């Protein structure tokens, strides 16, 4: 019997386009997992798919900000963005994400960006990513957006606004953003649901104060924040993760109360001016700490850590480190990466599965180097996996 090619029971090809039969909102969800270029290609499949692409709730214009666009092309790009935004405005279409970056800066463009942001907020946008032209000032309406959950800004200015009402905001990322320290304090204090705060190379702070907050869990600070001589002052006890990349200019932050960091589980610092004595005072206060990472902290010459909750310790290019003593019964991972072979003593539980990675860089490894290595290994109480990597120039010798 000849198989029926139209009957899927016979395992033959069925040409029915079941994907196109799905409701628009489900197809929008599927498209959201595609890359921007792939999502754009769906618009040429048919008139319906073109309409689906045009009404997709994710409006991503961030990729238009690159060096490939000539001055002559910019007006066409802006016209395309404006056409899509006006469609959402006229048809009152829901918008979940609005991402925008622009290659120019003038008064007319700033007014147009203000208009687009107003449309996005009016259409219930939950996430905004904005890489604006230099000196573009974020409008006041953006800080009264009660439905906004995610705000990511790069290379813009934030004036001081008295009224801030970002009651739903959970994530705030500011990179190269100019704002007063009182405005940042005001924003944090006015976002009761803020969970993650990222500050990268934001100039102008004499002191950076993180006020009391009930839900702020992740804090990342990078660059000269605050300016030389300024201080980072932590007043919140809700932090679970604190990453502090100071570019080697700042001391450890001021903690207004010794118990404020009792909930901290992950501490990562880069280039911090902290000594072994400072560390000895700090670690006992971090009673919930599980992961500790120090990178490029050259003032550390000796480390002595005793902690029952620590599971992961990483020491990366702390070039003056000569002596390491660790008593951490629950430690399961230790990594050392540097140019020297310090004296190392690690005490863990005998039944623990601890991975120890030691990466050392040397142009040659002589008898003295092996003596140091033997002393280092002798200080290890127990480990499940020990990996030692000698990097000689560009080659690896194990």
């Amino acid at each position: 019997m000849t198989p029926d090619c139209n009957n899927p029971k016979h395992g033959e090809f069925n040409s029915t386009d079941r994907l196109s039969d799905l409701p628009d909102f489900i197809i929008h969800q599927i498209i959201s997992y595609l890359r921007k270029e792939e999502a754009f290609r769906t618009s040429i499949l048919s008139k319906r798919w073109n309409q689906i692409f045009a009404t997709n709730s994710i409006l991503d214009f961030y990729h238009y900000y690159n060096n490939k666009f000539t001055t002559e092309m910019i007006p066409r790009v802006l016209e395309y963005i404006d056409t899509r935004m006006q469609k959402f405005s006229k048809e009152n279409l829901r918008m979940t994400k609005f991402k925008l970056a622009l290659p120019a800066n003038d008064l007319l463009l700033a007014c147009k960006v203000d208009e687009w942001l107003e449309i996005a907020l009016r259409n219930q946008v939950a996430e905004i990513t904005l890489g604006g032209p230099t000196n573009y000032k974020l409008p006041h309406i953006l800080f009264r957006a009660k439905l906004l959950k995610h705000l990511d800004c790069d290379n813009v200015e934030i004036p001081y606004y008295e009224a801030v009402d970002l009651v739903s905001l959970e994530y705030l990322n500011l990179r190269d953003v100019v704002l007063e320290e009182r405005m940042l304090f005001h924003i944090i204090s006015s976002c009761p649901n803020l969970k993650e705060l990222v500050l990268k190379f934001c100039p102008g702070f004499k002191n950076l104060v993180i006020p009391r907050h009930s839900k702020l869990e992740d804090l990342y600070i990078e660059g000269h924040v605050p300016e030389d001589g300024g201080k980072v002052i932590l007043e919140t006890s809700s932090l679970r993760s604190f990453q502090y990349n100071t570019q080697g200019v700042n001391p450890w932050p001021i903690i207004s109360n010794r118990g404020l960091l009792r909930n901290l589980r992950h501490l990562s610092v880069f280039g911090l001016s902290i000594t072994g004595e400072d560390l000895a005072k700090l670690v006992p206060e971090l009673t919930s700490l599980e992961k500790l990472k120090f990178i490029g902290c050259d003032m550390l010459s000796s480390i002595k850590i005793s902690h029952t909750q620590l599971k992961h310790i990483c020491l990366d290019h702390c070039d003056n480190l000569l002596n390491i003593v660790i008593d951490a019964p629950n430690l399961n991972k230790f990594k050392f990466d540097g140019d020297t072979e310090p004296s190392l003593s690690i005490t863990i539980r005998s039944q623990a599965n601890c991975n120890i990675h030691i990466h050392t860089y040397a142009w040659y490894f002589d008898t003295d180097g092996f003596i140091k290595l033997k002393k280092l290994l002798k200080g290890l109480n127990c480990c499940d996996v020990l990996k030692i990597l000698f990097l000689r120039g560009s080659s690896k010798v194990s």
Side-chain angles (χ1 to χ4, degrees):
M1 180 183 294
T2 304
D4 182 0
C5 64
N6 293 319
N7 189 344
K9 291 183 179 180
H10 292 282
E12 299 296 329
F13 176 73
N14 185 358
S15 61
T16 303
D17 182 5
R18 297 189 182 278
L19 184 60
S20 295
D21 290 338
L22 296 173
D24 286 3
F25 74 93
I26 294 181
I27 299 180
H28 284 156
Q29 183 67 22
I30 295 172
I31 291 178
S32 70
Y33 293 104
L34 301 178
R35 296 196 303 269
K36 292 184 286 289
E37 298 80 4
E38 294 172 335
F40 180 77
R41 292 192 189 113
T42 64
S43 65
I44 64 173
L45 295 175
S46 66
K47 289 183 179 180
R48 179 164 184 257
W49 278 89
N50 181 272
Q51 177 68 13
I52 289 173
F53 176 78
T55 58
N56 187 8
S57 63
I58 298 177
L59 278 79
D60 188 351
F61 306 115
Y62 207 86
H63 62 294
Y64 291 115
Y65 184 35
N66 56 54
N67 297 325
K68 296 179 181 179
F69 283 95
T70 63
T71 304
E72 293 75 19
M73 296 171 64
I74 291 176
R76 296 202 304 272
V77 173
L78 299 182
E79 182 180 0
Y80 168 73
I81 296 174
D82 192 52
T83 299
R84 291 200 64 190
M85 294 301 295
Q86 295 303 328
K87 178 179 179 64
F88 271 73
S89 179
K90 292 176 182 178
E91 300 181 17
N92 195 28
L93 300 173
R94 187 173 180 272
M95 192 181 304
T96 56
K97 297 180 183 179
F98 176 61
K99 299 183 179 182
L100 175 69
L102 296 168
N105 178 34
D106 56 48
L107 183 60
L108 181 61
L109 177 60
C111 293
K112 184 58 68 175
V113 175
D114 287 351
E115 181 183 343
W116 295 339
L117 286 175
E118 185 174 353
I119 293 173
L121 295 171
R122 191 168 61 240
N123 289 42
Q124 302 179 331
V125 69
E127 179 178 327
I128 290 179
T129 300
L130 186 64
T134 306
N135 299 323
Y136 171 67
K137 293 180 175 60
L138 297 184
H140 191 193
I141 188 175
L142 187 60
F143 297 92
R144 293 178 294 169
K146 294 185 178 182
L147 299 179
L148 190 63
K149 293 185 177 181
H150 180 119
L151 180 58
D152 189 338
C153 295
D154 181 10
N155 200 24
V156 298
E157 290 186 19
I158 301 179
Y160 181 79
Y161 295 119
E162 189 66 37
V164 176
D165 195 14
L166 296 170
V167 293
S168 300
L169 193 70
E170 297 178 356
Y171 175 83
L172 178 62
N173 187 344
L174 304 178
R175 299 181 306 277
D176 294 299
V177 172
V178 178
L179 75 164
E180 299 179 35
E181 55 189 82
R182 61 170 182 161
M183 182 58 183
L184 179 63
F185 186 95
H186 192 27
I187 292 174
I188 298 173
S189 302
S190 302
C191 299
N193 289 297
L194 187 64
K195 295 179 180 179
E196 184 171 352
L197 174 63
V198 179
L199 300 172
K200 294 184 178 180
F201 300 99
C202 296
F205 296 125
K206 182 177 180 181
N207 293 303
L208 175 59
V209 181
I210 307 299
R212 293 182 180 180
H213 201 285
S214 61
K215 294 187 177 181
L216 182 60
E217 295 184 351
D218 299 314
L219 176 61
Y220 183 99
I221 301 174
E222 180 177 356
H224 297 274
V225 183
E227 296 176 342
D228 293 357
K231 297 179 178 65
V232 174
I233 303 174
L234 301 179
E235 297 179 348
T236 181
S237 63
S238 57
L239 289 182
R240 299 291 189 277
S241 174
F242 181 30
Q243 299 182 67
Y244 191 29
N245 186 343
T246 70
Q247 306 297 306
V249 297
N250 287 337
W252 175 248
I254 294 175
I255 315 298
S256 59
N257 184 302
R258 294 177 65 89
L260 284 179
L261 296 182
R262 61 182 179 274
N263 295 313
L264 194 69
R265 296 177 181 176
H266 176 199
L267 174 63
S268 177
V269 293
F270 184 102
L272 192 69
S273 300
I274 188 170
T275 65
E277 291 77 12
D278 297 329
L279 189 60
K281 296 177 183 178
L282 171 66
V283 171
E285 299 174 5
L286 311 180
T287 55
S288 300
L289 192 65
E290 296 179 356
K291 184 176 181 180
L292 182 63
K293 187 174 184 179
F294 286 94
I295 306 172
C297 298
D298 292 340
M299 290 187 67
L300 285 174
S301 59
S302 179
I303 289 180
K304 187 174 183 179
I305 297 175
S306 179
H307 202 287
T308 59
Q309 300 300 317
L310 265 176
K311 297 178 180 179
H312 183 184
I313 297 177
C314 178
L315 304 173
D316 193 347
H317 283 88
C318 300
D319 292 337
N320 295 313
L321 196 53
L322 299 176
N323 187 46
I324 303 171
V325 178
I326 297 173
D327 181 6
N330 291 300
L331 193 70
N332 56 43
K333 186 173 183 180
F334 174 82
K335 181 181 178 182
F336 173 82
D337 198 333
D339 295 331
T340 59
E341 298 82 44
S343 171
L344 174 62
S345 173
I346 299 180
T347 302
I348 57 178
R349 285 179 180 163
S350 59
Q351 67 268 26
N353 294 321
C354 186
N355 295 298
I356 297 180
H357 296 255
I358 300 173
H359 295 180
T360 182
Y361 301 78
W363 290 104
Y364 63 93
F365 204 71
D366 55 12
T367 304
D368 184 56
F370 276 105
I371 292 174
K372 290 181 179 179
L373 177 61
K374 182 179 179 180
K375 184 178 180 181
L376 183 150
L377 297 178
K378 194 175 181 180
L380 302 182
N381 170 268
C382 177
C383 65
D384 183 62
V385 176
L386 173 62
K387 179 181 179 181
I388 303 176
L389 185 65
F390 303 110
L391 300 181
R392 183 175 180 179
S394 59
S395 62
K396 299 181 180 180
V397 183
S398 58

